[in-house]
Amino acid sequence: MRLRTDIFVSALMRRVFARGDFAAVEAKGAEEAGAVFVRQVFRDGTESLFAPAPQSFFDEGDDGRRLFEARLERVGSDAVAEAIGRERRFDGDLWVVSIEADDLGDVLDFAGAEPKDDGFFRR
């Protein structure tokens, strides 16, 4: 069973603040099951965008954790805003969390380099 999105975002923000970094919710989506996009802001003004990983990265017996994948890395804020706008047109219930930190490795789980091969779908 997957944790409600509002609780996941709240816990994510607490972990970020506990490290001494800053986080803010830019857009609230569906409280129960909204997708979460993370906008990482660096000190030099560049940004990265992390989105939910595709289902092919999950095992059948997965415990409901949320995995993320990089969509954009170290680009201008306009490119990230444009990508979020495209996603919002597709899914109006998504959340956007902005985090000002140099590293997100200990607050988010990232999908592996290769998705799981289920014998049917292959990349």
Side-chain angles (χ1 to χ4, degrees), residues 44-62:
D44 64 0
T46 60
E47 297 184 11
S48 293
L49 180 64
F50 299 95
Q55 286 300 113
S56 58
F57 283 99
F58 294 90
D59 291 325
E60 280 185 34
D62 198 0

Side-chain angles (χ1 to χ4, degrees), residues 1 3-4 11-12 15 20 29 33 43 47 51 54-55 61 64 66 87 95 100 104 107 115 117 119:
M1 174 145 190
L3 190 63
R4 287 174 47 120
L12 172 63
R15 287 193 307 263
R43 292 180 191 160
E47 297 184 11
Q55 286 300 113
R66 293 176 187 261
E87 291 292 337
W95 290 68
E100 293 180 9
L104 299 179
V107 295
D117 181 2

Side-chain angles (χ1 to χ4, degrees), residues 3 17 19 39 41 51 81 88 97 106 118-119 122:
L3 190 63
F17 286 129
R19 292 180 356 165
R39 186 177 197 163
V41 180
R88 184 163 290 292
V97 179
D106 61 338
D118 64 2
R122 298 171 196 207

Side-chain angles (χ1 to χ4, degrees), residues 26 34 36 51 62 103:
E26 286 186 26
V36 178
D62 198 0
D103 181 37

Side-chain angles (χ1 to χ4, degrees), residues 6 11 13 19 25 33 43 56 59 62 64 67-69 72 83 86 88 107-108 117 121:
D6 56 348
M13 294 186 65
R19 292 180 356 165
V25 175
R43 292 180 191 160
S56 58
D59 291 325
D62 198 0
L67 293 177
F68 292 86
E69 69 173 358
L72 298 171
R86 282 193 308 268
R88 184 163 290 292
V107 295
L108 292 178
D117 181 2
F121 291 105

